[in-house]
Amino acid sequence: MPAEPTATVRRAPAPGPARGSAPTRPARSEPRYLIGRLLPFLVIVLATVADVLTSPQERFDRFLIAAPALAAATWTARGTAAIGGLAMAASAALAAARGDSLVPAALANQVVLAVVALAAAVSSQARQRREAELRQVSAVAEAAQWAVLRPLPPRLGTVDLRLLYEASAAGAHVGGDFYKALKVRDGVRIMLGDVQGKGLPAVEAASLLLGSFREAAYTAPDLPAIAQRLEASMARYAERAPESDAADRFSTVLLAEIPDDRPVIRLLSCGHPAPVVQRNGTVETVELSAPSVPVHLPVPVDAPFTVEEVPFGPGDRLLMFTDGVTETRDARGAFYPLEQRLAAWADEPADRIPELLREDLDRFRAHGLEDDTMALLVVRDGAGAPAPRVPSPPRTVTV
């Protein structure tokens, strides 16, 4: 059995923090973090200067109470307490300059400042504890999530692979969308799918399907056999763990097979959107004559699996995607025109397509990232590929 290749995934670069990444404490070099650190001192200075320059009837020293409260957002517990002490010292100096009596006014201000500083220090300590827990949980979650979706190799056999993937769930790198590509004996087999719903149950269902595909792709004789294995795996899991939320999820799946010795690609859709093929400057959606039902659909269906065989020679591109791409809407409610965009990028290098698609989706969508976004560009490379044959019309095989 061939070993599964490993390589660095090709992603469209995103500016700033990764989308879907867990919220963490801002970096110390970020302007907002530096402003938060300096703000308590700014309050102390401004309150002191204003109190000195104005009449004794206008008491600006009361604003000193804000200094330790603001410090709790960015400073440690000790730092917050120290800032509270500095505010108390400023308050005492201003009271002495005004000639206030120690009791009751000046002492009352000191007591109030001390209580606020103590409460702010406790709040800062609780914040630090939550941040540490969140960082630990995020690190564990990220490791678990990447164990589910391993990076794609940039090349398998005679095809190059380029991936765009963004999870919509906050704090997640993996959602309900999933992918896998493997080099098998006579070609390359690919699975791309979308689990119903979001969250951890969707990730769990995706992991089950990915595990089943990894096992079946090497040994199954054809794509229908792989689809049957996927269905059987979900059915067995539902029997073993009926209480699991993942056991109730169905998934749309698109399977692809690119043989090494023929310029074609075979496709089997289990309720998944049809891919788009780009050939000789033209772009069109592959016509799937009889898509099968989604995997683990809770409806008894006894229908054959239909495989479409489409010409796929050197230089051809095929874009597989989930509905997070095509169901993206603009402010007027119009769907994203994927074919039109790909036609405009026909002369762009394959490496640029995921980045162009991500940037264009960001500009097009009206309400931000509401669903997982996945697109996998499969490019048939001329190097090492068989000599092109005369294109033949799509061929349908029903099993």
Side-chain angles (χ1 to χ4, degrees):
M1 180 182 299
E4 180 180 335
T6 58
T8 303
V9 64
R10 295 291 184 89
R11 271 203 178 77
R19 296 182 180 242
S21 59
T24 57
R25 182 175 57 188
R28 293 180 182 273
S29 60
E30 287 188 13
R32 59 173 179 156
Y33 181 78
L34 296 176
I35 292 173
R37 300 274 287 183
L38 294 175
L39 196 56
F41 298 102
L42 184 62
V43 169
I44 293 175
V45 171
L46 292 178
T48 301
V49 172
D51 196 85
V52 170
L53 298 180
T54 56
S55 63
Q57 289 75 23
E58 298 179 3
R59 299 286 300 276
F60 286 91
D61 62 332
R62 295 186 177 92
F63 289 97
L64 292 171
I65 197 172
L70 292 172
T74 54
W75 286 85
T76 63
R78 289 184 179 181
T80 301
I83 291 173
L86 182 61
M88 293 175 65
S91 177
L94 291 173
R98 288 191 302 267
D100 292 347
S101 58
L102 181 62
V103 180
L107 182 59
N109 286 342
Q110 293 295 308
V111 170
V112 170
L113 277 170
V115 171
V116 172
L118 178 62
V122 173
S123 176
S124 174
Q125 188 175 28
R127 172 185 58 80
Q128 286 183 285
R129 189 182 304 112
R130 287 195 300 270
E131 287 179 350
E133 292 174 353
L134 179 59
R135 285 193 295 271
Q136 183 178 7
V137 170
S138 298
V140 172
E142 182 174 358
Q145 289 170 340
W146 281 124
V148 174
L149 288 188
R150 300 295 299 170
L152 272 180
R155 182 176 177 83
L156 284 177
T158 60
V159 297
D160 293 334
L161 304 172
R162 303 293 183 266
L163 176 69
L164 167 65
Y165 181 61
E166 294 178 300
S168 62
H173 296 279
V174 175
D177 293 1
F178 55 93
Y179 59 87
K180 192 65 182 174
L182 296 171
K183 178 67 178 76
V184 296
R185 178 179 301 176
D186 299 323
V188 175
R189 285 176 171 174
I190 302 171
M191 177 178 70
L192 185 140
D194 183 4
V195 178
Q196 169 204 9
K198 300 179 182 179
L200 291 178
V203 175
E204 183 179 359
S207 69
L208 292 169
L209 292 169
L210 286 167
S212 178
F213 177 77
R214 290 189 192 102
E215 178 183 357
Y218 291 111
T219 58
D222 51 27
L223 296 184
I226 295 178
Q228 291 169 353
R229 299 269 191 94
L230 298 177
E231 187 69 49
S233 296
M234 292 301 297
R236 285 196 303 268
Y237 182 77
E239 292 176 359
R240 293 197 312 267
E243 73 285 351
S244 172
D245 290 337
D248 297 329
R249 304 297 176 101
F250 66 85
S251 307
T252 64
V253 172
L254 181 63
L255 298 173
E257 182 178 65
I258 305 108
D260 291 334
D261 59 349
R262 294 187 61 202
V264 298
I265 184 170
R266 302 182 184 106
L267 300 167
L268 190 158
S269 172
C270 296
H272 199 82
V276 175
V277 64
Q278 183 183 62
R279 183 187 302 111
N280 299 327
T282 63
V283 176
E284 60 181 357
T285 299
V286 177
E287 293 186 8
L288 301 176
S289 58
S292 303
V293 297
V295 175
H296 200 51
L297 188 72
V299 175
V301 177
D302 186 13
F305 292 106
T306 301
V307 177
E308 304 287 346
E309 189 173 278
V310 180
F312 194 59
D316 292 351
R317 301 175 179 179
L318 182 112
L319 187 71
M320 307 166 66
F321 52 87
T322 58
D323 56 12
V325 175
T326 51
E327 292 186 3
T328 296
R329 295 174 180 261
D330 63 9
R332 296 171 299 176
F335 289 107
Y336 182 72
L338 180 60
E339 282 192 37
Q340 177 183 337
R341 296 298 201 267
L342 288 178
W345 302 331
D347 296 330
E348 293 287 345
D351 287 346
R352 286 270 296 150
I353 299 301
E355 180 182 357
L356 290 171
L357 181 58
R358 180 190 61 78
E359 292 175 349
D360 197 48
L361 284 169
D362 285 343
R363 290 190 296 266
F364 187 85
R365 61 171 61 101
H367 304 293
L369 190 62
E370 297 180 335
D371 196 4
D372 297 342
T373 300
M374 177 183 291
L376 176 59
L377 184 67
V378 184
V379 183
R380 190 67 179 260
D381 191 359
R389 303 178 183 178
V390 178
S392 57
R395 186 166 63 92
T396 301
V397 179
T398 301
V399 180

